[in-house]
Amino acid sequence: QVQLVESGGGLVQAGGSLRLSCAASGFIFSINTMDWYRQAPEKQREWVATITSDGITNYSDSVKGRFTISRDNAKNTVWLQMNSLKPEDTAVYSCRVRIWRDRIWRHYWGQGTQVTVSS
């Protein structure tokens, strides 16, 4: 089994910062891309950022310049540093990890962590 455990969400004022983490555990042979997504109330899930195994990053326009995704391959962990937070960043944030398992690549999701930004 593979588990993704997220932490770091919470309540913060606009302009503040939070750092989310997502740690993968279990039988993991290899991890490819690691992503963060978010879903605000009554909205569709939205892609936020991706980091490849080589450290190449990509961000949605809505967070570019404010959020930073990073990873530690040895710890199977991905982080999302969120700065200059805005009320519209309020959402449940979930990590998604692409893992080689049983001879195919599979996506696994974390349980989600709530981020609330007050104005």
Side-chain angles (χ1 to χ4, degrees):
Q1 285 286 357
V2 174
Q3 281 190 321
L4 300 183
V5 178
E6 300 176 20
S7 62
L11 173 64
V12 65
Q13 288 188 334
S17 298
L18 283 174
R19 190 186 193 212
L20 307 182
S21 67
C22 171
S25 62
F27 186 76
I28 298 171
F29 182 75
S30 180
I31 294 179
N32 189 260
T33 55
M34 306 179 89
D35 318 286
W36 286 97
Y37 284 77
R38 67 185 182 186
Q39 187 166 19
E42 301 181 359
K43 291 189 176 181
Q44 289 191 336
R45 184 160 55 194
E46 172 191 21
W47 167 75
V48 174
T50 294
I51 185 166
T52 69
S53 56
D54 295 331
I56 297 171
T57 59
N58 200 10
Y59 300 92
S60 69
D61 288 342
S62 61
V63 307
K64 196 174 295 182
R66 300 187 298 123
F67 291 10
T68 302
I69 188 171
S70 59
R71 66 189 281 172
D72 184 327
N73 292 331
K75 296 181 179 179
N76 293 334
T77 299
V78 60
W79 295 274
L80 185 68
Q81 177 67 43
M82 306 184 294
N83 298 329
S84 303
L85 282 161
K86 305 175 181 179
E88 51 263 43
D89 293 319
T90 295
V92 174
Y93 285 71
S94 300
C95 62
R96 187 185 74 163
V97 177
R98 193 166 182 250
I99 295 173
W100 181 259
R101 181 176 170 84
D102 296 331
R103 302 180 184 180
I104 61 172
W105 289 104
R106 299 171 186 265
H107 281 123
Y108 292 86
W109 288 87
Q111 80 282 8
T113 185
Q114 177 70 46
V115 171
T116 303
V117 185
S118 63
S119 57

